[in-house]
């Protein structure tokens, strides 16, 4: 069990508040046992998401001073274009305000209503934008990705034989695009191998289908390829990234993850002039003029600097190392989780940890509440509470897993913070039998997990 030391030192600090258990009991009750309704000031360690919650470097902050705020043709935009060519090998790169904005611009251009879009697993906003464009989203992850206890190097992979079968079944002309999500967020930040990206691209090219890379965690994926695919042991994360992106035609990216900024996104095209023109037309109506795309010039500077910093080998070793350290501590305590850990989060198997709580009393959410009560740690449910109801019958759907996700912000927390998290989980495990399930007392019609009210079941 080894903690990979930070390849940085701390220049600025943000105080966080330690509360008492009694105070937390009041705060979570007032939030109707929904962690989204907590005031962040009352959270000690916030593992709700790794999206937009990272710390920028001194280089990023100082590059912001170089931001060119010209309405059009600003030099910050040209710097981003150059980075797009150098890192990804793509001709055109369009800044947008965040990842879902890229999806909103792109999918209606690719999808004719009724067509299918197949992915190794859609992230929720990507799935939603395929649906809004009239497409039908199909998840096609390899079977190993759904086996939480078993070790497998690349649990995020596309199930290529099934992909070929789906294309044969529906006809290539009815498949609008193939979306490769790297890393595969929805199965736990699990990586996709280069071999799998190659195979998927081969199938797509054989049938003339566009490959879209959903690239939020491009750098973490490159690092896993370096560590786990012998062919790439001596390659740099940048070299690996270039090859990964050669297997796509277009990419969308939330820059709030591996690009190490708090807000921003990208939409890029490798070499399709017609698609590029169509994208430009839509960007101007939704995001703003092409050379800023809904961001300030200074944001573009921080983003471009972040694209390179995210690929630094020592940073990635520390980053993934943090996740592995936390996983090792949980293993020592006998706490079950999606194994091996992915790049941005540990998915604790709350279904196994709290086996007496049925799925419709939300074990993942029960663990969210307990971790907050125990140590002021905020996490989120990735289970039946998130899964929602059957839109037709209103019955509670059962998720394939009952996970509680511990997402770790980039360059924010130290080893001692992770120790607090591991010890809190162990304390909850000790009193697991007395932890109660939850029921919903009020819920909105869509995306209920953000705003529902809950109460413990007696
Ligand atoms: C975060 C994320 C998105 C959406 O990006 P936002 O910046 O939150 O709009 C899309 N795909 C994946 C894989 C993501 O992780």
């Amino acid at each position: 069990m080894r903690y990979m030391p930070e390849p940085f030192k701390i220049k600025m600090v943000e105080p966080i508040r330690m509360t008492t258990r009694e105070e937390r009991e009041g705060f979570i009750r007032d939030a109707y046992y929904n962690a989204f309704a907590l005031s962040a000031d009352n959270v000690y360690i916030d593992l709700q998401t790794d999206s937009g919650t990272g710390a920028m470097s001194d280089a990023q902050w100082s590059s912001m001073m170089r931001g060119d705020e010209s309405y059009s043709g600003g030099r910050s935009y040209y710097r981003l274009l150059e980075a797009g060519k150098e890192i990804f090998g793509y001709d055109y790169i369009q800044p947008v305000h965040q990842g879902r904005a890229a999806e909103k611009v792109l999918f209606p251009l690719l999808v004719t209503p009724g067509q299918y879009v197949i992915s190794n697993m859609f992230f929720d906003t990507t799935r939603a934008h395929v649906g809004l464009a009239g497409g039908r989203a199909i998840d096609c992850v390899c079977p190993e990705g759904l086996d939480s206890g078993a070790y497998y190097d690349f649990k995020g992979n596309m199930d290529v034989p099934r992909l070929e079968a789906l294309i044969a079944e529906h006809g290539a002309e009815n498949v609008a695009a193939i979306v490769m999500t790297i890393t595969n967020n929805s199965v736990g930040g699990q990586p996709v191998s280069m071999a799998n990206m190659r195979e998927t691209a081969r199938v797509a090219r054989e049938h003339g289908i566009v490959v879209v890379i959903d690239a939020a965690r491009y750098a973490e994926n490159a690092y896993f390829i370096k560590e786990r695919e012998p062919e790439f042991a001596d390659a740099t994360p940048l070299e690996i990234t270039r090859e990964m992106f050669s297997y796509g035609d277009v990419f969308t990216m939330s820059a709030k993850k591996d690009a190490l900024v708090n807000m921003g996104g990208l939409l890029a095209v490798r070499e399709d002039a017609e698609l590029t023109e169509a994208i430009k037309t839509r960007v101007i109506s939704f995001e703003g003029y092409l050379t800023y795309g809904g961001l300030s010039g200074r944001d573009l500077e921080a983003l471009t600097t972040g694209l390179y910093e995210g690929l630094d080998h020592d940073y990635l070793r520390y980053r993934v190392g943090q996740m592995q350290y936390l996983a090792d501590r949980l293993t020592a305590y006998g706490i079950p989780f999606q194994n091996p850990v992915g790049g941005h989060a540990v998915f604790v198997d709350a279904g196994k940890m709290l086996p007496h709580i049925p799925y419709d009393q939300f074990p993942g959410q029960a663990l969210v509440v307990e971790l907050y009560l125990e140590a002021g740690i905020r996490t989120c449910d990735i289970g039946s509470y998130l899964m929602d109801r059957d839109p037709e019958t209103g019955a509670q759907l059962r998720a394939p897993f009952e996970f509680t996700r511990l997402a770790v912000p980039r360059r924010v927390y130290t080893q001692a913070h992770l120790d607090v998290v591991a010890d809190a989980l162990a304390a909850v495990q000790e009193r697991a039998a007395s932890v109660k399930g939850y029921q919903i007392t009020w819920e909105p019609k869509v995306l209920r997990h953000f705003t529902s009210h809950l109460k413990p079941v007696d």
Side-chain angles (χ1 to χ4, degrees), residues 1 12 22 55 96 99 112 115 123 145 152 166 171 175 197 209 216 221 297 314 318 334 337 339 366 396 445:
M1 197 183 304
M12 191 195 282
E22 201 177 14
V96 291
T112 306
Q115 283 187 314
F123 179 70
Y152 186 71
L166 286 167
V175 180
M197 293 195 74
I209 302 170
N221 203 80
D314 291 347
Y318 142 79
F337 58 90
N339 179 40
Q396 173 62 48
K445 287 204 173 66

Side-chain angles (χ1 to χ4, degrees), residues 89-150:
Y90 279 41
D91 284 350
Y92 185 68
I93 192 159
Q94 174 62 57
V96 291
H97 81 274
Q98 64 182 90
R100 67 198 71 182
E103 296 162 358
K104 176 181 175 186
V105 168
L106 178 67
F107 282 105
L109 294 172
L110 296 181
V111 177
T112 306
Q115 283 187 314
Y116 294 91
V117 181
I118 305 171
S119 176
N120 57 332
M121 189 76 104
F122 286 97
F123 179 70
D124 5 350
T125 61
T126 322
R127 189 189 309 281
H129 280 291
V130 167
L132 287 169
R136 289 183 267 187
I138 303 180
D139 290 324
C140 187
V141 71
C142 64
E144 294 86 347
L146 299 176
D147 183 355
S148 86

Side-chain angles (χ1 to χ4, degrees), residues 49-52 97-103 121-126 129 180-186 214-217 252-257 262-265 344 405:
T49 177
D50 66 318
S51 179
H97 81 274
Q98 64 182 90
R100 67 198 71 182
E103 296 162 358
M121 189 76 104
F122 286 97
F123 179 70
D124 5 350
T125 61
T126 322
H129 280 291
M180 196 50 133
T181 311
I182 57 171
T183 56
N184 191 330
N185 187 353
S186 306
D214 182 356
R217 297 179 184 81
T252 57
M253 181 191 290
S254 169
K256 301 167 69 171
K257 285 80 172 221
N262 304 112
M263 193 56 70
H344 70 285
R405 184 181 78 172

Side-chain angles (χ1 to χ4, degrees), residues 387-457:
M387 189 80 176
D388 232 305
R389 294 177 186 280
D390 183 311
E392 260 137 53
T393 65
Q396 173 62 48
L397 294 170
R398 181 173 195 163
F401 303 108
E402 302 297 340
F403 283 139
T404 298
R405 184 181 78 172
L406 318 177
V408 181
R410 292 170 181 77
R411 306 192 290 206
V412 170
Y413 292 116
T414 64
Q415 178 176 15
H417 290 122
L418 298 187
D419 286 337
V420 171
V421 173
D423 293 343
L425 271 159
V428 175
Q429 164 127 310
E430 293 243 314
R431 55 181 165 76
S434 68
V435 173
K436 289 179 176 156
Y438 283 80
Q439 70 187 72
I440 295 176
T441 57
W442 176 84
E443 66 192 289
K445 287 204 173 66
V446 286
L447 292 171
R448 72 172 183 196
H449 70 283
F450 291 116
T451 53
S452 297
H453 296 173
L454 302 117
K455 70 169 195 198
V457 175

Side-chain angles (χ1 to χ4, degrees), residues 287-422:
E287 292 291 290
Y289 188 67
L290 305 173
T291 61
Y292 70 88
L295 298 174
S296 308
R298 55 181 170 271
D299 294 339
L300 297 178
E301 290 287 341
L303 200 170
T304 304
T305 304
L307 284 173
Y308 288 101
E309 276 184 15
L311 285 168
D312 181 80
H313 179 259
D314 291 347
Y315 156 72
L316 285 167
R317 187 175 52 184
Y318 142 79
R319 164 78 181 152
V320 173
Q322 263 199 331
M323 239 55 61
Q324 287 165 348
Y325 172 79
L326 183 54
D328 288 348
R329 291 230 42 203
L330 300 193
T331 302
Y333 279 131
I335 292 165
F337 58 90
Q338 166 74 305
N339 179 40
V341 282
H344 70 285
V346 177
F347 285 58
V348 177
D349 197 329
K352 285 189 188 154
M353 209 173 144
L354 306 170
H356 59 287
I357 302 181
Y359 74 94
D360 57 358
Q361 291 180 15
F362 315 129
Q365 181 63 16
L367 185 55
V368 168
V369 174
E370 289 308 312
L371 284 171
Y372 180 70
L373 289 173
E374 183 65 35
I377 299 161
R378 178 156 69 171
T379 55
C380 84
D381 170 274
I382 305 279
S384 295
Y385 173 54
L386 173 70
M387 189 80 176
D388 232 305
R389 294 177 186 280
D390 183 311
E392 260 137 53
T393 65
Q396 173 62 48
L397 294 170
R398 181 173 195 163
F401 303 108
E402 302 297 340
F403 283 139
T404 298
R405 184 181 78 172
L406 318 177
V408 181
R410 292 170 181 77
R411 306 192 290 206
V412 170
Y413 292 116
T414 64
Q415 178 176 15
H417 290 122
L418 298 187
D419 286 337
V420 171
V421 173

